[in-house]
Amino acid sequence: MAYPIVNILNVPVAALTMSEAVSKVQQFIDDKKNALIATANAEMIMNAQHDEELCEILQSADLVVPDGAGTVWAAHHLGYAMPERVAGYDLVQELLKAAPERGDRVFFFGSAPGIAEAAKKKAEALYPGVQIVGVRNGYFTSDDEAGIIEEIRAAEPDILLAALGVPKQEKWLRRYRKELRVPVSIGVGGTLDVMAGNVRRAPKWMQKAKLEWLFRGLLQPKRAGRLVALPKFVLRVHRSKKK
Ligand code: UDP
């Protein structure tokens, strides 16, 4: 499947629709690709401006989807077509929905103790027959890592969802991806929290109005400081256009 790649502040973002993204991920699974997938919003792209390792990971990722209205705006502002936002949460739901029929096995790794279990229960209720073959919370020391890798390997998932936050999840996945031997690994941030009902997503009208970032900033005050990333991103993209 061919789709354009748009360079947004040196991050190569795929200009594809949700259904194309789902097909692409499923193709990686069928090819047993050991693929690393990232979901890039404005904040992640801004982090990549000063975090060289993150930037390099995104540049070498097998797929970077446009997660967030800011990313889609940037592509358009730079003069490129980008059909729609492919939010990480929504992509995960589409993959889980298709998983029972395809026989895809999924591992939930990350978030606070109890969250991945609750997300698993939710997934099993929403997508009957889905195989969540393992769960592990995201709070661990380096001594625990060998055990976690063994646990994931033994579960033999097709899809590994890593919810450790940006950039920890991307760095962890890149570091251990060869050993993990999972066809598809995706950094999914707060997705398990939302599935578990721990964190709410913005109402649909706010998502449509491209205001989900504002909702998240207001709802989680610890994130409020991160809101400044967005205007900085807008300015930076605009300047990169002029150059
Ligand atoms: N998290 C984790 N281990 C850590 C730090 C964070 O599992 O060492 C989890 C945290 O509990 C949350 C998720 O990472 O469920 C994503 O957090 P947040 O929404 O703040 O991150 P973002 O997606 O914005 O990077």
Side-chain angles (χ1 to χ4, degrees):
M1 184 201 316
Y3 46 83
I5 302 288
V6 177
N7 180 330
I8 302 174
L9 302 179
N10 294 320
V11 175
V13 183
L16 37 54
T17 62
M18 174 61 78
S19 86
E20 288 170 331
V22 171
S23 303
K24 187 76 195 169
V25 176
Q26 293 171 340
Q27 190 188 313
F28 287 147
I29 297 171
D30 298 342
D31 296 345
K32 301 216 176 308
K33 174 96 169 88
N34 199 225
L36 199 160
I37 297 172
T39 70
N41 59 16
E43 200 183 335
M44 184 192 272
I45 296 173
M46 283 310 281
N47 283 346
Q49 303 310 300
H50 53 77
D51 183 337
E52 252 175 63
E53 187 186 350
L54 176 63
C55 189
E56 208 270 306
I57 293 171
L58 297 177
Q59 287 174 349
S60 59
D62 298 278
L63 178 66
V64 179
V65 298
D67 178 345
T71 309
V72 176
W73 168 84
H76 292 167
H77 189 70
L78 294 170
Y80 299 97
M82 185 166 276
E84 62 182 340
R85 174 183 179 201
V86 179
Y89 176 85
D90 296 327
L91 176 61
V92 167
Q93 303 314 305
E94 294 298 322
L95 292 170
L96 291 173
K97 198 189 291 175
E101 207 188 312
R102 287 178 36 88
D104 293 337
R105 299 157 62 84
V106 189
F107 196 108
F108 288 174
F109 171 42
S111 297
I115 297 292
E117 286 85 348
K120 172 177 156 105
K121 284 212 180 79
K122 188 66 183 287
E124 288 165 347
L126 282 173
Y127 313 111
V130 76
Q131 301 179 70
I132 310 302
V133 294
V135 293
R136 173 61 166 88
N137 74 65
Y139 293 83
F140 53 88
T141 64
S142 51
D143 290 345
D144 301 325
E145 291 189 320
I148 295 173
I149 291 163
E150 203 31 59
E151 204 178 318
I152 295 171
R153 268 167 66 152
E156 297 186 356
D158 297 295
I159 302 174
L160 169 61
L161 302 183
L164 307 174
V166 178
K168 188 170 178 183
Q169 58 200 19
E170 286 74 22
K171 292 180 180 178
W172 200 89
L173 287 176
R174 203 272 283 263
R175 179 150 184 213
Y176 296 117
R177 109 172 173 187
K178 290 266 150 29
E179 285 173 65
L180 288 164
R181 297 199 214 123
V182 179
V184 164
S185 298
I186 315 177
V188 295
T191 291
L192 301 181
D193 284 314
V194 176
M195 289 186 72
N198 194 32
V199 171
R200 268 196 308 141
R201 263 195 98 185
K204 278 275 176 309
W205 71 266
M206 274 187 107
Q207 291 185 39
K208 284 213 184 86
K210 308 192 186 341
L211 289 173
E212 186 157 28
W213 56 275
L214 179 62
F215 179 86
R216 296 181 76 185
L218 295 175
L219 203 74
Q220 294 174 270
K222 72 172 173 82
R223 306 183 73 108
R226 303 201 207 160
L227 286 179
V228 294
L230 200 67
K232 280 191 189 157
F233 174 75
V234 167
L235 279 177
R236 199 129 177 185
V237 168
H238 186 63
R239 272 194 226 123
S240 82
K241 181 185 180 175
K242 283 205 274 190
K243 269 187 217 153

